[in-house]
Amino acid sequence: MSTSLPLQMILMLLLLFYFKGASGSSNAAGDSKIRCLEVERQALLNIKDSLHEIQEGFLSSWGNEEEKRDCCEWYGVQCANNSGHVTVLDLAPSTSPIYNEYYNLRRFLHGTISPSLRELKHLTYLDLSLIDF
């Protein structure tokens, strides 16, 4: 029985380190508060540059400013919790106040499809249906 106690302690320590590492993961910049990967953030900013809003609002959460660095917090963007990869790009989210305001217009963004969309290799959902291309 005395040999099982050290084994249990080792297992508990391993689990503690595992969960500490999973919750304390960070991006390339070293900031654990920002989940967004830099290459994907840049791709999204390029996508934003190829689009124009009918009225500013929807894409206003996307930016380079310090408080807007985490693209996982941008309207229409969702990221995987474990990796930080962008998995959802929904530029027609029905939950957006802009969508509700411009629902009768049917389109609130117009522009072109940016080649940077190819950089979002982990997308599982893409909705560009309210963009006038």
Side-chain angles (χ1 to χ4, degrees):
M1 255 209 210
S2 63
T3 59
S4 67
L5 181 61
L7 181 60
Q8 288 175 347
M9 287 175 42
I10 291 170
L11 287 174
M12 288 176 58
L13 284 173
L14 286 174
L15 285 172
L16 177 67
F17 285 120
Y18 172 78
F19 286 114
K20 176 67 175 162
S23 66
S25 63
S26 63
N27 68 351
D31 186 350
S32 63
K33 294 179 183 180
I34 297 176
R35 295 180 292 155
C36 182
L37 302 173
E38 184 62 24
V39 66
E40 294 181 350
R41 189 178 75 78
Q42 287 301 319
L44 289 166
L45 288 173
N46 290 338
I47 292 168
K48 176 186 178 183
D49 288 343
S50 70
L51 299 172
H52 307 283
E53 297 179 274
I54 292 172
Q55 180 176 337
E56 188 174 324
F58 182 75
L59 296 177
S60 64
S61 68
W62 298 30
N64 277 320
E65 299 87 350
E66 191 59 36
E67 68 275 5
K68 297 180 181 179
R69 301 250 346 137
D70 189 356
C71 66
C72 298
E73 299 294 323
W74 296 350
Y75 287 132
V77 177
Q78 293 178 22
C79 301
N81 286 332
N82 57 346
S83 67
H85 286 292
V86 174
T87 56
V88 172
L89 181 57
D90 185 359
L91 296 183
S94 59
T95 58
S96 166
I98 302 300
Y99 175 89
N100 293 328
E101 185 176 342
Y102 292 104
Y103 181 75
N104 292 330
L105 294 175
R106 303 290 297 157
R107 304 275 190 251
F108 58 89
L109 295 170
H110 61 93
T112 60
I113 297 175
S114 171
S116 294
L117 190 59
R118 290 181 288 201
E119 296 298 320
L120 304 177
K121 299 178 187 316
H122 299 274
L123 281 180
T124 57
Y125 182 84
L126 174 65
D127 188 346
L128 306 175
S129 63
L130 289 183
I131 300 175
D132 186 14
F133 291 109

